[in-house]
Amino acid sequence: MSNELATLYQDDTFIVKAQLVEGNPFIHVSVLEFSLDVRKRMKEVWEDIKVGFYYEGYDALYAVSLNHKFSKVMGGELQSTLEDGKGVYKWETL
């Protein structure tokens, strides 16, 4: 994976993309339609993505998000808050 965005998952309800930033994988999630079923599927897809990155040799995944609630629901741990209010979140891959 390069520093360009690569699509990891896409359906009619959400898209997951990733890019390397200074050697660290950053994840971008776009939710197109939300429901409890979509949230459940997102968590399943997210677990598969984390395992995939683990096997590629990465210990953690990161995201920068203004939606703190969503990041926490997805299991992210807040690492820092940027000046614009966005949070930098981290997920251990395994």
Side-chain angles (χ1 to χ4, degrees):
M1 180 186 317
S2 68
N3 60 354
E4 295 182 28
L5 284 173
T7 301
L8 303 178
Y9 179 86
Q10 181 172 355
D11 67 15
D12 293 339
T13 59
F14 68 96
I15 303 166
V16 181
K17 296 184 177 189
Q19 73 182 127
L20 289 180
V21 177
E22 297 181 6
N24 296 305
F26 274 76
I27 305 300
H28 305 268
V29 178
S30 299
V31 180
L32 309 172
E33 180 182 317
F34 188 78
S35 69
L36 293 177
D37 287 339
V38 171
R39 184 175 88 173
K40 180 180 175 184
R41 190 167 62 254
M42 287 175 69
K43 286 190 170 206
E44 292 169 357
V45 168
W46 186 241
E47 290 305 314
D48 290 343
I49 288 170
K50 289 190 323 183
V51 169
F53 274 98
Y54 172 79
Y55 284 115
E56 290 293 322
Y58 296 98
D59 295 330
L61 302 175
Y62 299 89
V64 175
S65 177
L66 190 55
N67 191 336
H68 298 277
K69 183 177 178 180
F70 175 77
S71 297
K72 289 178 183 176
V73 165
M74 293 303 291
E77 180 181 315
L78 182 64
Q79 298 297 294
S80 63
T81 303
L82 305 176
E83 289 182 18
D84 60 2
K86 293 179 182 174
V88 178
Y89 287 86
K90 177 181 179 182
W91 288 262
E92 300 293 329
T93 55
L94 200 64

